[in-house]
Amino acid sequence: MTRLAGRAGIVTGGGKGLGRAFALGLAAAGAHVVVNNRDRTGEGAAQRVVDEILAAGGSAVAETGDVADPDAAQSMLDTALNTFGRLDFLVTSAAVADPAMFHKSTPERFDAVIAANLGGSAHIAMLCSKHMREAGFGRIVFVSSTAGLHGEPTASAYSASKGALIALGRAIAVEGERRNVLTNIVLPYATTQMTAAGMPSDLQGSLPPEAVGPLVTALVDPESTVNGQVLVSAGGGLRVASAVEWGTVALPSGPVTPGELTDLIARSREAGPREFPEAQAAFQNFAAELPRNSVGKVPRDRF
């Protein structure tokens, strides 16, 4: 494939699992790839992936900064520009989990996960967004998780970081669209070092990281116009996810009983889900449906 011939980009966490699959797929499509993976133990995971790419006739370079360190973002960007002379795409795949029941965790453990998963994506995306906007082109893919949509017991910090990444991706998708800087969020299911222990044995072989790779390659393609989408993918399948709100119902005047609240929630859901491109659109829609008095103001005793 040569769909990405001449293009260059960064894959964080590219030394293992999903990140490795993304890096290999992008390189196979003709892209120059900066493969980032921290190297605390000297195992050289990023360089091993670079060696695979070079052996297959591709183009890549290793970068070993820790994404939790804000200075690593500049190092990655500099590596791309100094080595390949351009930057067209960013895929943020680096992540840590550190599972624990929320009440048994510590601020230090919680913050470390947030720093790697949210900060590690935000810092590099911030620099890349600036460069891409000036160039008039860019594609960003945040690798999140369905834990960020639904929450996951024993993974509160991971869920929080991945949920924040979904919101961040949707926000910068709106900001970048007019400059042809498109951002999407991928929520993969795959058998990796992080997930293998909790993956049902009958599914492990059918959910390889490589099955998600083609989606990421398509999202960074110059011809892609997809923007602001949250996409779940695994084992050759894809489905769209979204944040939704249901119908607006009026609260009764005065105190609300638990029974009344349960009924109000059910009535709201009866109206069906609604999607909005960003928060202001959701607010305007909500405000337009509020019950109003004769002069058009929201009654103070009701809302």
Side-chain angles (χ1 to χ4, degrees):
M1 294 189 300
T2 58
R3 289 163 50 188
L4 301 181
R7 302 284 172 166
I10 299 165
V11 178
T12 72
K16 300 177 181 178
L18 284 158
R20 172 182 174 274
F22 301 151
L24 292 173
L26 291 162
H32 307 294
V33 184
V34 175
V35 181
N36 159 265
N37 209 95
R38 69 183 184 184
D39 192 11
R40 290 182 175 177
T41 61
E43 60 185 356
Q47 187 59 51
R48 286 202 303 272
V49 174
V50 168
D51 291 343
E52 287 186 71
I53 291 172
L54 297 178
S59 175
V61 64
E63 200 286 331
T64 58
D66 183 346
V67 296
D69 177 1
D71 292 337
Q74 188 65 58
S75 175
M76 283 185 271
L77 179 59
D78 289 345
T79 299
L81 296 178
N82 293 337
T83 306
F84 304 123
R86 61 187 298 156
L87 178 78
D88 301 287
F89 63 82
L90 167 68
V91 180
T92 68
S93 187
V96 297
D98 194 15
M101 293 287 285
F102 184 59
H103 68 283
K104 293 184 178 180
S105 188
T106 65
E108 293 76 17
R109 291 177 65 181
F110 191 93
D111 290 351
V113 174
I114 298 297
N117 298 358
L118 177 56
S121 291
H123 297 151
I124 182 61
M126 194 177 298
L127 289 180
C128 290
S129 292
K130 184 177 187 296
H131 178 86
M132 291 171 176
R133 288 173 68 90
E134 292 171 352
F137 175 85
R139 300 289 184 266
I140 298 173
V141 178
F142 285 153
V143 180
S144 182
S145 168
T146 53
L149 278 179
H150 310 299
E152 185 174 347
T154 75
S156 54
Y158 183 80
S159 298
S161 66
K162 292 298 188 176
L165 203 55
I166 293 171
L168 174 62
R170 285 173 58 89
I172 66 175
V174 176
E175 293 180 1
E177 188 166 25
R178 288 188 296 177
R179 297 294 185 91
N180 197 23
V181 179
L182 309 184
T183 301
N184 294 281
I185 307 97
V186 172
L187 284 54
Y189 293 114
T191 304
T192 66
Q193 185 179 16
M194 182 186 292
T195 64
M199 185 73 69
S201 58
D202 60 327
L203 290 177
Q204 288 192 10
S206 61
L207 298 177
E210 292 76 14
V212 187
L215 170 60
V216 171
T217 299
L219 288 172
V220 306
D221 193 301
E223 296 185 8
S224 175
T225 58
V226 178
N227 190 41
Q229 295 297 308
V230 182
L231 304 172
V232 183
S233 182
L238 169 74
R239 69 181 177 193
V240 178
S242 183
V244 299
E245 297 183 19
W246 276 260
T248 308
V249 294
L251 287 166
S253 179
V256 180
T257 68
E260 288 174 324
L261 179 57
T262 299
D263 179 64
L264 289 168
I265 292 171
R267 286 169 50 201
S268 175
R269 287 186 175 276
E270 289 172 359
R274 312 168 188 194
E275 293 184 79
F276 302 98
E278 42 82 27
Q280 281 298 317
F283 166 71
Q284 293 294 338
N285 180 268
F286 186 88
E289 294 187 347
L290 294 178
R292 299 174 184 275
N293 62 22
S294 59
V295 295
K297 296 181 180 179
V298 178
R300 290 184 177 273
D301 65 344
R302 180 164 297 180
F303 289 92

